[in-house]
């Protein structure tokens, strides 16, 4: 059961990461929705701590080490979030 749960979590992160990457590659208007709107919608679907780490990267351009120190978590956890 734990393996299935981990697989589902990995799938969700992969989907969110794909959306994150797509935010930089989309044209300004895709089906009437701007890339930043799509990115924000995708970020809302992330777990709170993961979203916090991603926002630190986007807003403050922090490294994984800096994010780990700021959030008081390990660098490896930050890498998983990204």
């Amino acid at each position: 059961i734990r393996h299935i749960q981990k697989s589902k979590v990995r799938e969700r992160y992969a989907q969110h990461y794909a959306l994150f990457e797509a935010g930089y590659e989309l044209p300004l208007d895709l089906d009437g929705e701007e890339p930043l709107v799509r990115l924000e919608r995708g970020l809302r679907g992330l777990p709170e701590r993961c979203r916090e780490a991603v926002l630190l990267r986007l807003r403050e351009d922090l490294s994984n080490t800096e994010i780990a120190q700021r959030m008081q978590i390990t660098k490896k956890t930050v890498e998983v979030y990204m």
Side-chain angles (χ1 to χ4, degrees), residues 18-71:
L19 178 62
F20 176 78
E21 281 186 327
Y24 288 103
E25 299 170 4
L26 293 174
L28 278 180
D29 188 33
L30 180 69
D31 298 330
E33 189 172 46
E34 292 190 28
L36 289 178
V37 173
R38 292 176 62 97
L39 179 61
E40 288 175 6
R41 187 167 31 92
L43 288 174
R44 283 193 297 259
L46 292 174
E48 182 179 344
R49 296 288 282 173
C50 180
R51 180 175 53 247
E52 183 180 347
V54 171
L55 288 174
L56 285 171
R57 167 68 50 82
L58 293 174
R59 291 179 178 162
E60 300 184 33
D61 195 30
L62 298 179
S63 68
N64 287 356
T65 302
E66 294 168 323
I67 293 169
Q69 290 171 346
R70 174 90 55 97
M71 295 179 67

Side-chain angles (χ1 to χ4, degrees), residues 7-24:
S7 295
K8 288 183 180 182
V9 169
R10 285 187 186 124
E11 287 176 25
R12 283 185 34 214
Y13 283 134
Q15 291 170 354
H16 291 298
Y17 185 76
L19 178 62
F20 176 78
E21 281 186 327
Y24 288 103

